[in-house]
Amino acid sequence: HAKAHHRGHTQMFDAEMHRQTLERLELETDLRAAIDGEGLEIHYQPIVHLRSGHLRGFEALVRWRHPTRGLLTPAAFLPLAQDTGLIVPLDRWVLRAAAREAACWSPAPGCAPPSISVNLTAAQVHLPGLCADIARALQGAGLPPERLILELTEHVLTNDSAGTIQTMRALRDLGVGLALDDFGTGYSSLSYLRRLPITDLKLDRSFIADLNAGSAGPALVRTVAELGQALTLTTVAEGIETAQQYAHVRALGFTLAQGYYISRPVSAEAARELARQPGPLVAAGVDDAGTLP
Ligand code: C2E
Ligand code: MG
Ligand code: MG
Ligand code: MG
């Protein structure tokens, strides 16, 4: 009896495994079709200068408009894309589409054209010919390299650091900016950080969420602001959700801010509209409302 019972379980388990495998295969087929077709779209999240509240640029965030599952965020399909290698054509598509879109932004008189930040995965960075491909994408879009910022996480840098740093140098030589994304979640040493040819340091949003937690939260965020100043990097506070957090990172000397408090990621049409607006995105004064410790 026990044996039969066990066999039943195994069969159920097998059936479930089988179902999951099929679902994954189907999703993979759908994703491949989406990359080749019209299934992917980009949402654009504003990044502002903390001093003035003015727009600095947008981060391109990929979305998948799935025929039956609706609008999917990266968490639902990036792991699959990474496992299957589809991440490479996906990232290439995002870079090209975002560069073309950014080339269309026409800022108000006297305003600098917004920058466009694009995320890269480890698989991309270790591809031979990455630099040439990015140069081609910029040329094809008619976007000056200075307007592109490539975002890399610390995790990209943990394997094969010599080759990665070489690639990063070559990208800098092209004229594009390089941001270290989700900073604080990896384990870069201080000396390693100093050797990286980066322009921007993006503090992970988990540290911003801890700002009000008392204890070490505010001290850590302050330390990163000072680290950025010491290394003459542009510092970006990610995940700013409240006026208080905005005021706090501003007072601590961060350069830029990004988060739902400023704006959620928006459609391409809405981004064009925002790019055209002359005034600050975050009103002056609002940022002084928060209380500081
Ligand atoms: P990320 O590069 O750190 O991007 C910021 C993420 O935080 C985005 O999530 C954004 O919607 C979210 N976010 C922004 N402000 C706030 C806030 O105030 N509160 C909270 N809770 N979240 C906020 P999203 O769009 O789901 O993207 C998640 C991650 O997926 C990105 O993290 C990035 O690592 C990756 N990703 C997105 N697009 C691409 C892409 O085109 N290529 C690659 N390789 N990765 C991408
Ligand atoms: Mg990013
Ligand atoms: Mg990030
Ligand atoms: Mg992140």
Side-chain angles (χ1 to χ4, degrees), residues 59 61 119 151 181-182 202 238:
E59 179 171 2
L61 297 162
N119 293 283
E151 298 198 352
D181 202 358
D182 303 344
K202 295 189 83 172
E238 281 193 287

Side-chain angles (χ1 to χ4, degrees), residues 64-72:
W64 179 11
R65 204 166 281 283
H66 190 276
T68 56
R69 292 164 206 241
L71 190 69
L72 302 179

Side-chain angles (χ1 to χ4, degrees), residues 100-273:
R100 273 198 308 273
E101 188 60 35
C104 296
W105 293 333
S106 54
C111 294
S115 60
I116 179 73
S117 301
V118 174
N119 293 283
L120 282 190
T121 9
Q124 281 278 86
V125 176
H126 298 107
L127 276 184
L130 173 75
C131 262
D133 189 54
I134 286 170
R136 263 197 309 275
L138 287 166
Q139 211 167 24
L143 189 74
E146 297 70 32
R147 290 190 49 207
L148 177 67
I149 298 160
L150 297 171
E151 298 198 352
L152 311 164
T153 65
E154 285 171 286
H155 311 285
V156 167
L157 308 168
T158 41
N159 51 34
D160 176 39
S161 57
T164 307
I165 291 179
Q166 237 173 11
T167 303
M168 290 171 79
R169 286 232 175 78
L171 289 168
R172 287 289 299 129
D173 289 342
L174 270 185
V176 307
L178 291 179
L180 193 57
D181 202 358
D182 303 344
F183 179 65
T185 60
Y187 32 87
S188 302
S189 70
L190 207 49
S191 60
Y192 186 53
L193 192 62
R194 192 174 56 173
R195 287 198 296 129
L196 291 180
I198 53 170
T199 54
D200 295 25
L201 199 57
K202 295 189 83 172
L203 180 62
D204 190 70
R205 69 164 183 268
S206 56
F207 294 90
I208 303 303
D210 281 350
L211 263 178
N212 295 326
S215 65
L220 274 178
V221 176
R222 180 191 305 274
T223 301
V224 174
E226 287 167 359
L227 182 64
Q229 274 155 15
L231 296 172
T232 58
L233 298 172
T234 298
T235 45
V236 192
E238 281 193 287
I240 299 297
E241 294 182 350
T242 67
Q244 203 181 12
Q245 289 170 341
Y246 186 90
H248 206 143
V249 294
R250 187 175 187 265
L252 291 178
F254 269 79
T255 322
L256 307 168
Q258 177 180 0
Y260 296 165
Y261 171 67
I262 299 143
S263 168
R264 297 222 165 219
V266 299
S267 69
E269 297 74 46
R272 282 187 196 197
E273 227 17 78

